[in-house]
Amino acid sequence: MPATVQTRDPRWVGQGIPRVDAEDKVRGRAQYVDDLLVPNGWHGHVVRAPVPHGLLRGLTPDPAFDWSRVVVVTAKDIPGPNCIVSHDRSMPVIASDEFLYAGEPVALIAAPTLRLAREAAEHLRIDFEERPAILTLHEVADQFKHNDPALVKLCGQTIRKGDAEAALARAHKVVEAEYTAGHQEQLYIEPQGLVAEPTGDGGVFIYGSMQCPYFIVHELCEALALPPEKIRVKQAAVGGAFGGKEEFPTWLAGYVALLALKAKRPVKIVYDRHQDILYTTKRHPVWSRYRTGLNRDGTIAAIAVDFLLDGGAYLTLSDVVMYRGILHAAMGYRCDHVFVNGLVARTNTVPSGAFRGFGAPQAIWGLESHVDAMAAAAGMTPHEFRLKNCLVQGDTTPTGQVLKWSVGSPAVLEKSLERCRFDEQWKKCSRGKPGAKSWYGIGVSFFAHGAAFTGDGEARIKARAAMDLDWLAPGRPGGIVRVSSTEMGQGALTVLSQLAADGLGLDLSRVSCPFPDTALVPNSGPTVASRTTMVVGSCVYGAAGKLKKALEQFAGKPIASGKEFDEIASAYLNKHGRLRVEHLFVLPPGTQWDQKTFRGDSYPGYSWGCNVAEVEVDPRTLGIRVKKITAFYDIGKVVNPVLAKGQIEGGLVQALGYSVMEKIGIDRKGRFDASRMQTYIIPTMQDIPEMDLDFVEFPFDHAPPGAKGVGELPMDGLAPAIANAIEAATGLRMRDLPITPEKLYEHSQKNLGR
Amino acid sequence: MKKITFTLNGESRTVAVAPHEVLLDVLRDKLGVKSPKVGCERGDCGACTILLDGKPVRSCLILAVEVEGQEITTLEGVGRDGPTPLQESFIRHNAFQCGFCAPGIVLAATALLEKNPKPTAHEVQEAISGNLCRCTGYEAIIESAVEAGRQGTARARKPAARKSANR
């Protein structure tokens, strides 16, 4: 890490400058994959399994159809092992003898027009023998509760601190409850899309909408039997991702690459919305069971959690989603006796995948709902109980990590409660008072979010960023940021440019941050886990500082102005040509992690947040209106406050959808039952609440200039804050997301019958 | 196939279209106008919004044959010489993140300000709520449109109006 923090005027870090890509976007000039011309390109189409589970007996082409006009790829055409190399090798690129979910690819077709490709698909008969299928979270949760050996466990992991069972037996009071939540669709407005082109050297060039260019290279090189350097991947403008373009684009890249290599021409697949909802990954449904013990003084004696995720048909990256889940399932509060039992179960549905928060929102949904139940059992208000029990600097997390630095707790909690006058408002809650015209309620949630990869993830991937000294234009030298992090709307290009400019001590106009192309950039890791600003940004900052130092050494004097930089950099470039410097991310000294026992420093640092939701419920219709959200976040040093606020606002509105609107189930055929925007309902401009947002800065000193994660934070805590507010308004405790008027009604009828 | 003629961003265009072709596909695939985006093909998301005789419409729900003789504005025809005051307001407020919904929302907001030059936040919400955005939470979009109206500089920037404005 750089020994000194370069600070010169103007200092870009901390300034809410407009996005570097803003003008292109508001003028409609940004080019997304479907906007690109693909000369001689064909269209690809995926032929899919018709039922959720079956043995594939064969594919029979209709002899009456003219197959010479199209190219068909089946599992037999895959040059290498038929697998996508994710966290295991279980998922085939194309099913060969068994398929595990409705819609799993069984063949691929390319044709000069999409219409012809689809027509060909109708002439390909899929011969199969249907097998029994497990379709829902509720089925696997029942299997789990009854120790049913039929439960197919994709993976499991526990966290132990002290002896939770013994502490529960000793506790003054025990509070138990179960919490569930369904799938959530990312619903980026730009559907998934990629193009593959064969290259002259037998390789393939893949470009389009994605979060993680190097995932595609490393996860496909076995199946394509190509060395990594023969798979070149480049990002186009990405129209939203939210995790939905993390692992899924590798599958799609497999389809277009196989078709392009066989057809010997470019092939493009852009999903329509119907396909995109039906056949791409979603947030894992969750079932969690909390058993917690309280001491007489209102402290927490024990927390025991079962945390079950519906992983869908294949493991993909569900193990790490579950890890993040269990690491957050008992986080945030002082407790010496913790046991968390995490597992991922198989269902015959589309593999669940990454979505903003990556397991943490599912965990915090249960935990922060349950904290209100504990507070009530302790005879305390939700805010008193949180203030009394929340982790602060020097406390120990469930994995035994001591919180030594950058702890925004209890600051975020105290400031949020003060800003919204929680104490005063809490007394006004309706609690289902009969005869009222409208029921009012207020609820709070408090949470930490592990910044960057879980455990030793950052140490293993060895993220690097590079800065190139090169000509930005003829006669205009500057620094070019070379990272594999993608811009998907979150503002990475802008924030990384700000950090590069400050690292160089130069004006923003002397840096450039292009879209990543694996032919040009080192692997700085995937664009996930709220790690881009913190980890990659810190590497960019470090690399820029080194580049400046190298130029100063070349010149034998310090660079004090942009003009001096231009002279020295031009002289360097004329003499030696391009200069590349790299910087590697290093975990804080003393970091220890045991991946087997889950003991140690589970994250290098934590961001902290507190959400307060105020709701109104109509006693006649049980319609829920979220009126206001008050929130404070500690994301360390805020690099760009305007962009950070945008991340929080947008994330909170996604979380609002998760809480009370976005409902998607599995129909009897094993397919998602809301497959269009008409049926999968996300918040519109008329659904948003008033938002009062602010930051408190506890910089993370081990990654200058001190940023922590932000992107996932807003997804974490809103659902339980709303559920807590709904209970304060109605007297009804809702434990299943999304909370709809229908569910409130059913629950109210049950309560009346009690 | 039928030949149709209409005004696209101030220029007369003639194109042969099949009876089933929707305007969105004709604009994107036959005329190379790429700012209207394909988001849902069912009129749900608003990413394909264009102005038809000044009114915001979903180009995925309109058959190309219907626009014979009419005037179409896409984002390519707005602020050709630089961002309009409304677009500048969107830039200042970080109103877009991924930008995929931006062409539709900029046009819908342009049409609103032409009709109602000083909209309230509520009026913006009502007028543009058919355009979905998944990134921003809408707050910045609403603020941008309200501020552009408050500054009194926002007008619809259709190309014909721009020519006569001589700016």
Side-chain angles (χ1 to χ4, degrees), chain A residues 267-533:
Chain A
V267 173
K268 168 164 103 170
I269 296 181
V270 175
Y271 278 0
D272 63 28
R273 182 61 58 186
H274 187 59
Q275 294 171 321
D276 197 294
I277 297 184
L278 286 180
Y279 307 126
T280 70
T281 55
K282 314 229 169 332
R283 183 184 300 287
H284 291 70
V286 62
W287 171 87
S288 63
R289 176 168 60 192
Y290 278 80
R291 292 180 300 136
T292 55
L294 292 169
N295 296 315
R296 278 178 197 283
D297 63 355
T299 55
I300 304 170
I303 303 177
V305 191
D306 292 303
F307 184 79
L308 169 72
L309 292 178
D310 170 354
Y314 296 101
L315 179 72
T316 63
L317 38 64
S318 292
D319 48 348
V320 183
V321 176
M322 181 265 287
Y323 298 160
R324 189 171 275 274
I326 61 174
L327 287 166
H328 289 78
M331 179 66 193
Y333 296 92
R334 258 186 310 282
C335 181
D336 292 333
H337 301 284
V338 177
F339 176 67
V340 188
N341 175 31
L343 69 132
V344 180
R346 165 176 289 163
T347 59
N348 294 101
T349 57
V350 179
S352 304
F355 190 164
R356 199 175 204 164
F358 207 70
Q362 291 99 314
I364 293 165
W365 156 237
L367 174 64
E368 280 300 300
S369 297
H370 200 71
V371 169
D372 263 36
M374 286 197 281
M380 296 167 76
T381 65
H383 49 305
E384 285 165 357
F385 186 85
R386 283 180 174 81
L387 286 166
K388 184 181 179 82
N389 288 291
C390 68
L391 291 178
V392 296
Q393 186 146 353
D395 281 337
T396 308
T397 71
T399 63
Q401 178 174 11
V402 179
L403 297 174
K404 285 180 263 187
W405 47 66
S406 183
V407 184
S409 164
V412 291
L413 183 55
E414 289 171 347
K415 285 189 181 289
S416 305
L417 293 171
E418 191 188 309
R419 178 71 66 89
C420 69
R421 301 181 186 186
F422 193 93
D423 202 42
E424 226 172 279
Q425 295 302 112
W426 174 251
K427 290 173 190 142
K428 294 181 190 162
C429 293
S430 307
R431 292 172 229 297
K433 195 173 111 195
K437 269 197 179 156
S438 169
W439 286 330
Y440 167 83
I442 189 167
V444 59
S445 72
F446 162 75
F447 45 89
H449 190 101
F453 278 146
T454 295
D456 56 0
E458 292 296 344
R460 277 188 287 121
I461 71 153
K462 297 189 174 63
R464 291 173 300 147
M467 283 293 295
D468 285 350
L469 176 70
D470 210 335
W471 301 108
L472 300 181
R476 198 158 68 82
I480 303 176
V481 178
R482 297 292 189 193
V483 294
S484 60
S485 308
T486 49
E487 169 65 58
M488 46 203 181
Q490 85 280 41
L493 296 186
T494 308
V495 163
L496 295 175
S497 297
Q498 287 177 269
L499 289 161
D502 269 359
L504 286 165
L506 291 173
D507 189 77
L508 207 59
S509 62
R510 285 185 177 79
V511 300
S512 134
C513 188
F515 287 154
D517 174 341
T518 57
L520 298 172
V521 301
N523 189 355
S524 48
T527 319
V528 302
S530 305
R531 63 185 289 280
T532 300
T533 306

Side-chain angles (χ1 to χ4, degrees), chain A residues 143-144 146-153:
Chain A
Q143 288 178 333
F144 175 77
H146 298 105
N147 286 317
D148 185 340
L151 177 80
V152 181
K153 196 169 153 180

Side-chain angles (χ1 to χ4, degrees), chain B residues 86-123:
Chain B
L86 174 64
Q87 284 171 321
E88 276 166 6
S89 185
F90 281 131
I91 293 170
R92 268 198 312 279
H93 285 91
N94 184 37
F96 298 107
Q97 292 179 21
C98 84
F100 200 76
C101 69
I105 290 184
V106 172
L107 289 174
T110 300
L112 168 69
L113 288 168
E114 194 181 32
K115 212 170 66 177
N116 175 2
K118 287 187 192 299
T120 63
H122 184 70
E123 285 165 344

